[in-house]
Amino acid sequence: NAGVTQTPKFQVLKTGQSMTLQCAQDMNHEYMSWYRQDPGMGLRLIHYSVGAGITDQGEVPNGYNVSRSTTEDFPLRLLSAAPSQTSVYFCASSYDDSSSYEQYFGPGTRLTVT
Amino acid sequence: GQSLEQPSEVTAVEGAIVQINCTYQTSGFYGLSWYQQHDGGAPTFLSYNALDGLEETGRFSSFLSRSDSYGYLLLQELQMKDSASYFCAVGRRAGNMLTFGGGTRLMVKP
């Protein structure tokens, strides 16, 4: 199993550009989520999905869109990049039941917006 | 709202024991998780407490008191490789929809 994979690893955008961060998992997990981590801080939940076709907002959803057309993939779209979106973005997945507590994180995408 | 408080930095020597505390104020509490993150890496799961008490996994233990909204991570027999950031996180569904604390940077010295 590859686990959770993210592409790209690094990205530089200009203000106003849009792009999609890719996330995929091969563990058949129902739950997937996107977090951002600013330097020296904890992770903040952007959006999450409890299954294909179902998404919802987290703590900091503004400026981001998500979709979940398959169990495996959960892309994050930046609509119009702003310098405040400079951050490290992590995708995570887990089973969505009361007996599973562990979230598996991807390696992250380091995004700089100039 | 949700808030979690943990110390920003802890220093300890190799072979020692260190405790990292976490206090929280949240709605919809399902349990307290702990994650480890090395510089430049992704968070990795360490432990989860849904009920009061101590959970032990090798050199690491985690404790929860729901009545006090308090938990801690205990690391024993510290090794240099334990130098990392440690995050407590509250789950608003069973184990997911996590709200993270700001993290505690642990430095282990020889």
Side-chain angles (χ1 to χ4, degrees), chain A residues 34-85:
Chain A
W34 277 101
Y35 295 88
R36 61 176 287 174
Q37 185 176 32
D38 299 325
M41 297 180 66
L43 290 83
R44 291 182 292 169
L45 182 64
I46 304 172
H47 285 286
Y48 66 95
S49 169
V50 299
I54 306 169
T55 64
D56 207 346
Q57 297 180 350
E59 304 168 59
V60 288
N62 292 343
Y64 308 95
N65 272 354
V66 291
S67 60
R68 184 97 179 267
S69 56
T70 67
T71 299
E72 295 78 17
D73 300 298
F74 191 42
L76 177 73
R77 183 163 179 83
L78 277 70
L79 308 172
S80 177
S84 61
Q85 293 179 305

Side-chain angles (χ1 to χ4, degrees), chain B residues 25-58:
Chain B
Q25 286 186 316
T26 70
S27 57
F29 178 87
Y30 273 83
L32 189 69
S33 298
W34 289 91
Y35 284 79
Q36 179 191 61
Q37 186 180 33
H38 287 99
D39 285 347
T44 56
F45 174 82
L46 291 176
S47 69
Y48 179 85
N49 294 70
L51 302 175
D52 287 359
L54 192 68
E55 295 280 344
E56 298 181 70
T57 309

